[in-house]
Every structure is written in C-alpha cells, then in structure tokens.
Short mmCIF file of all heavy atoms in Angstrom, two decimals:
data_model
loop_
_atom_site.label_atom_id
_atom_site.label_comp_id
_atom_site.label_asym_id
_atom_site.label_seq_id
_atom_site.Cartn_x
_atom_site.Cartn_y
_atom_site.Cartn_z
N THR A 1 135.40 180.00 15.43
CA THR A 1 136.51 180.32 16.33
C THR A 1 136.40 181.75 16.82
O THR A 1 135.86 182.62 16.11
CB THR A 1 137.89 180.14 15.66
OG1 THR A 1 138.04 181.15 14.65
CG2 THR A 1 138.06 178.75 15.05
N ILE A 2 136.92 181.98 18.00
CA ILE A 2 136.95 183.32 18.58
C ILE A 2 137.77 184.26 17.70
O ILE A 2 137.38 185.41 17.47
CB ILE A 2 137.54 183.27 20.01
CG1 ILE A 2 136.68 182.37 20.90
CG2 ILE A 2 137.76 184.66 20.57
CD1 ILE A 2 135.68 183.01 21.79
N THR A 3 138.87 183.76 17.16
CA THR A 3 139.73 184.57 16.30
C THR A 3 138.98 185.02 15.05
O THR A 3 139.05 186.19 14.65
CB THR A 3 141.00 183.80 15.91
OG1 THR A 3 141.69 183.44 17.11
CG2 THR A 3 141.91 184.61 15.02
N ALA A 4 138.24 184.11 14.44
CA ALA A 4 137.46 184.45 13.24
C ALA A 4 136.36 185.46 13.56
O ALA A 4 136.09 186.37 12.77
CB ALA A 4 136.88 183.19 12.61
N VAL A 5 135.73 185.30 14.71
CA VAL A 5 134.70 186.26 15.13
C VAL A 5 135.33 187.64 15.33
O VAL A 5 134.77 188.65 14.89
CB VAL A 5 134.00 185.78 16.43
CG1 VAL A 5 133.06 186.85 16.97
CG2 VAL A 5 133.24 184.49 16.19
N ALA A 6 136.48 187.67 15.98
CA ALA A 6 137.17 188.94 16.22
C ALA A 6 137.49 189.64 14.91
O ALA A 6 137.26 190.85 14.77
CB ALA A 6 138.45 188.69 17.03
N GLU A 7 137.99 188.89 13.94
CA GLU A 7 138.30 189.49 12.64
C GLU A 7 137.05 190.01 11.96
O GLU A 7 137.05 191.10 11.38
CB GLU A 7 139.00 188.46 11.75
CG GLU A 7 140.41 188.14 12.19
CD GLU A 7 141.04 186.99 11.40
OE1 GLU A 7 140.45 186.56 10.39
OE2 GLU A 7 142.12 186.53 11.81
N ALA A 8 135.96 189.25 12.03
CA ALA A 8 134.71 189.65 11.36
C ALA A 8 134.09 190.89 12.00
O ALA A 8 133.53 191.73 11.30
CB ALA A 8 133.72 188.49 11.40
N LEU A 9 134.19 191.00 13.32
CA LEU A 9 133.52 192.10 14.02
C LEU A 9 134.45 193.28 14.32
O LEU A 9 133.99 194.31 14.82
CB LEU A 9 132.90 191.60 15.32
CG LEU A 9 131.80 190.55 15.18
CD1 LEU A 9 131.29 190.12 16.56
CD2 LEU A 9 130.65 191.08 14.33
N GLY A 10 135.74 193.11 14.04
CA GLY A 10 136.67 194.19 14.29
C GLY A 10 137.06 194.32 15.76
O GLY A 10 137.39 195.41 16.22
N TYR A 11 136.99 193.22 16.49
CA TYR A 11 137.40 193.18 17.89
C TYR A 11 138.72 192.43 18.00
O TYR A 11 139.17 191.80 17.06
CB TYR A 11 136.37 192.44 18.75
CG TYR A 11 134.99 193.04 18.81
CD1 TYR A 11 133.87 192.21 18.89
CD2 TYR A 11 134.78 194.41 18.80
CE1 TYR A 11 132.59 192.74 18.96
CE2 TYR A 11 133.50 194.94 18.88
CZ TYR A 11 132.41 194.10 18.96
OH TYR A 11 131.15 194.62 19.04
N THR A 12 139.28 192.43 19.19
CA THR A 12 140.39 191.54 19.48
C THR A 12 139.79 190.21 19.96
O THR A 12 138.63 190.19 20.42
CB THR A 12 141.29 192.11 20.60
OG1 THR A 12 140.52 192.20 21.81
CG2 THR A 12 141.84 193.47 20.21
N PRO A 13 140.54 189.12 19.88
CA PRO A 13 140.02 187.87 20.43
C PRO A 13 139.66 188.00 21.91
O PRO A 13 138.64 187.46 22.37
CB PRO A 13 141.17 186.88 20.21
CG PRO A 13 141.87 187.41 19.00
CD PRO A 13 141.80 188.90 19.15
N GLY A 14 140.47 188.76 22.66
CA GLY A 14 140.16 188.99 24.07
C GLY A 14 138.85 189.73 24.25
O GLY A 14 138.09 189.46 25.18
N GLY A 15 138.58 190.67 23.34
CA GLY A 15 137.32 191.41 23.39
C GLY A 15 136.12 190.51 23.16
O GLY A 15 135.09 190.63 23.84
N VAL A 16 136.24 189.59 22.21
CA VAL A 16 135.15 188.64 21.94
C VAL A 16 134.95 187.74 23.15
O VAL A 16 133.82 187.49 23.59
CB VAL A 16 135.44 187.80 20.67
CG1 VAL A 16 134.41 186.69 20.51
CG2 VAL A 16 135.47 188.69 19.45
N SER A 17 136.05 187.25 23.73
CA SER A 17 135.96 186.41 24.93
C SER A 17 135.26 187.15 26.06
O SER A 17 134.44 186.57 26.77
CB SER A 17 137.35 185.96 25.38
OG SER A 17 137.92 185.10 24.42
N GLN A 18 135.56 188.44 26.21
CA GLN A 18 134.91 189.24 27.24
C GLN A 18 133.42 189.39 26.97
O GLN A 18 132.60 189.34 27.89
CB GLN A 18 135.57 190.60 27.36
CG GLN A 18 136.94 190.55 27.99
CD GLN A 18 137.61 191.91 28.02
OE1 GLN A 18 137.11 192.90 27.47
NE2 GLN A 18 138.76 191.98 28.67
N GLN A 19 133.06 189.58 25.69
CA GLN A 19 131.65 189.69 25.33
C GLN A 19 130.90 188.41 25.70
O GLN A 19 129.81 188.45 26.28
CB GLN A 19 131.48 189.96 23.82
CG GLN A 19 132.02 191.28 23.35
CD GLN A 19 131.13 192.45 23.74
OE1 GLN A 19 130.04 192.30 24.27
NE2 GLN A 19 131.62 193.65 23.47
N ILE A 20 131.49 187.27 25.36
CA ILE A 20 130.85 185.98 25.65
C ILE A 20 130.80 185.75 27.16
O ILE A 20 129.78 185.28 27.69
CB ILE A 20 131.59 184.82 24.94
CG1 ILE A 20 131.60 185.02 23.42
CG2 ILE A 20 131.00 183.48 25.33
CD1 ILE A 20 130.26 184.93 22.74
N ALA A 21 131.87 186.08 27.88
CA ALA A 21 131.89 185.92 29.34
C ALA A 21 130.81 186.78 30.00
O ALA A 21 130.12 186.32 30.92
CB ALA A 21 133.27 186.27 29.90
N ALA A 22 130.64 188.00 29.51
CA ALA A 22 129.59 188.88 30.05
C ALA A 22 128.21 188.31 29.75
O ALA A 22 127.29 188.41 30.58
CB ALA A 22 129.73 190.28 29.47
N LEU A 23 128.06 187.71 28.58
CA LEU A 23 126.79 187.09 28.21
C LEU A 23 126.50 185.88 29.11
O LEU A 23 125.37 185.68 29.55
CB LEU A 23 126.81 186.69 26.73
CG LEU A 23 125.51 186.24 26.09
CD1 LEU A 23 124.41 187.28 26.27
CD2 LEU A 23 125.74 185.96 24.61
N GLU A 24 127.53 185.11 29.40
CA GLU A 24 127.37 183.97 30.32
C GLU A 24 126.97 184.46 31.71
O GLU A 24 126.10 183.87 32.35
CB GLU A 24 128.66 183.15 30.40
CG GLU A 24 128.92 182.33 29.16
CD GLU A 24 130.19 181.50 29.23
OE1 GLU A 24 131.20 181.98 29.80
OE2 GLU A 24 130.17 180.37 28.70
N LYS A 25 127.57 185.55 32.14
CA LYS A 25 127.22 186.12 33.45
C LYS A 25 125.77 186.61 33.45
O LYS A 25 125.04 186.39 34.40
CB LYS A 25 128.18 187.26 33.79
CG LYS A 25 127.96 187.83 35.16
CD LYS A 25 128.99 188.90 35.48
CE LYS A 25 128.72 189.46 36.88
NZ LYS A 25 129.65 190.54 37.20
N ALA A 26 125.37 187.27 32.37
CA ALA A 26 124.00 187.79 32.28
C ALA A 26 122.96 186.67 32.29
O ALA A 26 121.90 186.81 32.87
CB ALA A 26 123.84 188.64 31.02
N THR A 27 123.28 185.56 31.63
CA THR A 27 122.33 184.45 31.56
C THR A 27 122.45 183.52 32.76
O THR A 27 121.51 182.77 33.06
CB THR A 27 122.55 183.61 30.29
OG1 THR A 27 123.87 183.06 30.31
CG2 THR A 27 122.32 184.43 29.04
N GLY A 28 123.60 183.55 33.41
CA GLY A 28 123.83 182.62 34.52
C GLY A 28 124.05 181.20 34.04
O GLY A 28 123.90 180.25 34.81
N MET A 29 124.44 181.05 32.77
CA MET A 29 124.62 179.72 32.20
C MET A 29 125.93 179.67 31.40
O MET A 29 126.36 180.68 30.85
CB MET A 29 123.46 179.38 31.27
CG MET A 29 122.12 179.42 31.96
SD MET A 29 120.81 178.92 30.86
CE MET A 29 120.94 177.16 31.07
N GLU A 30 126.50 178.48 31.35
CA GLU A 30 127.68 178.28 30.52
C GLU A 30 127.21 178.15 29.07
O GLU A 30 126.35 177.32 28.75
CB GLU A 30 128.41 177.01 30.95
CG GLU A 30 129.69 176.78 30.21
CD GLU A 30 130.40 175.52 30.65
OE1 GLU A 30 129.73 174.49 30.87
OE2 GLU A 30 131.64 175.57 30.76
N LEU A 31 127.74 178.99 28.20
CA LEU A 31 127.34 179.01 26.80
C LEU A 31 128.37 178.34 25.91
O LEU A 31 128.04 177.90 24.81
CB LEU A 31 127.09 180.44 26.33
CG LEU A 31 126.04 181.22 27.14
CD1 LEU A 31 125.99 182.66 26.69
CD2 LEU A 31 124.68 180.55 27.05
N LEU A 32 129.62 178.30 26.37
CA LEU A 32 130.71 177.69 25.62
C LEU A 32 131.37 176.61 26.45
O LEU A 32 131.45 176.70 27.67
CB LEU A 32 131.78 178.73 25.26
CG LEU A 32 131.37 179.92 24.41
CD1 LEU A 32 132.58 180.80 24.16
CD2 LEU A 32 130.75 179.48 23.12
N ARG A 33 131.88 175.64 25.74
CA ARG A 33 132.67 174.57 26.36
C ARG A 33 134.04 174.62 25.71
O ARG A 33 134.14 174.66 24.48
CB ARG A 33 131.97 173.23 26.08
CG ARG A 33 132.63 172.02 26.61
CD ARG A 33 131.82 170.74 26.25
NE ARG A 33 130.39 170.85 26.54
CZ ARG A 33 129.43 170.87 25.60
NH1 ARG A 33 129.74 170.80 24.31
NH2 ARG A 33 128.17 170.96 25.93
N ARG A 34 135.08 174.65 26.52
CA ARG A 34 136.44 174.67 25.98
C ARG A 34 136.83 173.25 25.62
O ARG A 34 136.72 172.33 26.44
CB ARG A 34 137.43 175.22 27.01
CG ARG A 34 137.52 176.73 27.03
CD ARG A 34 136.30 177.34 27.61
NE ARG A 34 136.34 178.81 27.66
CZ ARG A 34 135.26 179.52 27.88
NH1 ARG A 34 134.10 178.95 28.04
NH2 ARG A 34 135.35 180.83 27.91
N VAL A 35 137.27 173.06 24.40
CA VAL A 35 137.72 171.76 23.91
C VAL A 35 139.12 171.97 23.36
O VAL A 35 139.30 172.40 22.23
CB VAL A 35 136.77 171.21 22.82
CG1 VAL A 35 137.24 169.85 22.34
CG2 VAL A 35 135.34 171.16 23.30
N GLY A 36 140.11 171.67 24.20
CA GLY A 36 141.49 171.95 23.81
C GLY A 36 141.68 173.44 23.64
O GLY A 36 141.36 174.21 24.53
N ARG A 37 142.14 173.83 22.46
CA ARG A 37 142.33 175.27 22.19
C ARG A 37 141.11 175.88 21.50
O ARG A 37 141.10 177.05 21.18
CB ARG A 37 143.56 175.44 21.30
CG ARG A 37 144.83 174.98 22.03
CD ARG A 37 146.07 175.36 21.28
NE ARG A 37 146.14 176.84 21.23
CZ ARG A 37 146.96 177.50 20.45
NH1 ARG A 37 147.77 176.86 19.64
NH2 ARG A 37 146.98 178.81 20.46
N ARG A 38 140.10 175.08 21.28
CA ARG A 38 138.89 175.55 20.59
C ARG A 38 137.74 175.65 21.56
O ARG A 38 137.84 175.21 22.71
CB ARG A 38 138.55 174.60 19.44
CG ARG A 38 139.66 174.51 18.39
CD ARG A 38 139.30 173.60 17.26
NE ARG A 38 138.14 174.04 16.51
CZ ARG A 38 138.17 174.87 15.47
NH1 ARG A 38 139.33 175.36 15.06
NH2 ARG A 38 137.07 175.21 14.84
N VAL A 39 136.64 176.20 21.10
CA VAL A 39 135.42 176.25 21.91
C VAL A 39 134.27 175.71 21.08
O VAL A 39 134.31 175.74 19.85
CB VAL A 39 135.09 177.70 22.37
CG1 VAL A 39 136.13 178.23 23.31
CG2 VAL A 39 134.89 178.62 21.19
N GLU A 40 133.28 175.20 21.78
CA GLU A 40 132.03 174.81 21.11
C GLU A 40 130.88 175.25 21.99
O GLU A 40 131.03 175.40 23.21
CB GLU A 40 131.99 173.31 20.82
CG GLU A 40 132.06 172.43 22.02
CD GLU A 40 132.10 170.95 21.67
OE1 GLU A 40 132.66 170.57 20.63
OE2 GLU A 40 131.53 170.17 22.45
N LEU A 41 129.75 175.48 21.37
CA LEU A 41 128.59 175.94 22.12
C LEU A 41 127.98 174.79 22.90
O LEU A 41 127.91 173.66 22.42
CB LEU A 41 127.53 176.52 21.17
CG LEU A 41 127.67 178.01 20.86
CD1 LEU A 41 128.91 178.30 20.08
CD2 LEU A 41 126.46 178.51 20.14
N THR A 42 127.53 175.12 24.11
CA THR A 42 126.75 174.16 24.89
C THR A 42 125.33 174.17 24.33
O THR A 42 125.01 174.97 23.44
CB THR A 42 126.72 174.59 26.37
OG1 THR A 42 126.07 175.86 26.46
CG2 THR A 42 128.12 174.66 26.97
N ASP A 43 124.48 173.31 24.85
CA ASP A 43 123.08 173.32 24.42
C ASP A 43 122.45 174.68 24.70
O ASP A 43 121.70 175.22 23.87
CB ASP A 43 122.29 172.21 25.12
CG ASP A 43 122.68 170.83 24.65
OD1 ASP A 43 123.28 170.72 23.55
OD2 ASP A 43 122.37 169.84 25.35
N ALA A 44 122.77 175.26 25.86
CA ALA A 44 122.24 176.59 26.20
C ALA A 44 122.76 177.63 25.21
O ALA A 44 122.02 178.53 24.79
CB ALA A 44 122.62 176.96 27.63
N GLY A 45 124.02 177.53 24.84
CA GLY A 45 124.61 178.46 23.88
C GLY A 45 123.94 178.37 22.52
O GLY A 45 123.66 179.38 21.87
N THR A 46 123.68 177.13 22.09
CA THR A 46 123.00 176.93 20.80
C THR A 46 121.59 177.49 20.84
O THR A 46 121.14 178.16 19.90
CB THR A 46 122.97 175.43 20.46
OG1 THR A 46 124.32 174.95 20.41
CG2 THR A 46 122.30 175.17 19.13
N THR A 47 120.89 177.26 21.94
CA THR A 47 119.52 177.78 22.09
C THR A 47 119.52 179.30 22.05
O THR A 47 118.72 179.91 21.33
CB THR A 47 118.90 177.28 23.40
OG1 THR A 47 118.83 175.85 23.36
CG2 THR A 47 117.51 177.85 23.62
#
C-alpha cells in the first residue's frame, strides 16, 4: 500500500504517489493500476 510505503520511507502518502507518478511519466508507461482504494502493479510496474 502507498500508506505503508510512506511510513517506511518517511514520506507522506501524497509524496509517494508523486514519486510513482513521476516515474510513470519518466517511463511513459502505466506502472500502477487502481483497484478500488488500493493499487496493484501492472506488468510494466512489476518488470
């Protein structure tokens, strides 16, 4: 979860979301899929 990542890295959940969004922009690929209130990695994200 984004919340667990934020706690582990000392970021806010919004900060983690921004990091992932910037990574998606850098790669030009969707790395996460929103599933309800949760997220899961796409195949590209897993790779």
Side-chain angles (χ1 to χ4, degrees):
T1 68
I2 300 262
T3 301
V5 172
E7 289 173 10
L9 297 179
Y11 298 145
T12 64
V16 172
S17 293
Q18 288 177 354
Q19 295 285 354
I20 300 293
L23 190 55
E24 287 181 323
K25 184 177 179 183
T27 61
M29 302 183 84
E30 184 180 41
L31 303 174
L32 300 181
R33 179 180 312 112
R34 276 72 180 166
V35 181
R37 296 190 64 192
R38 300 181 62 88
V39 294
E40 61 183 33
L41 272 66
T42 62
D43 290 342
T46 301
T47 299

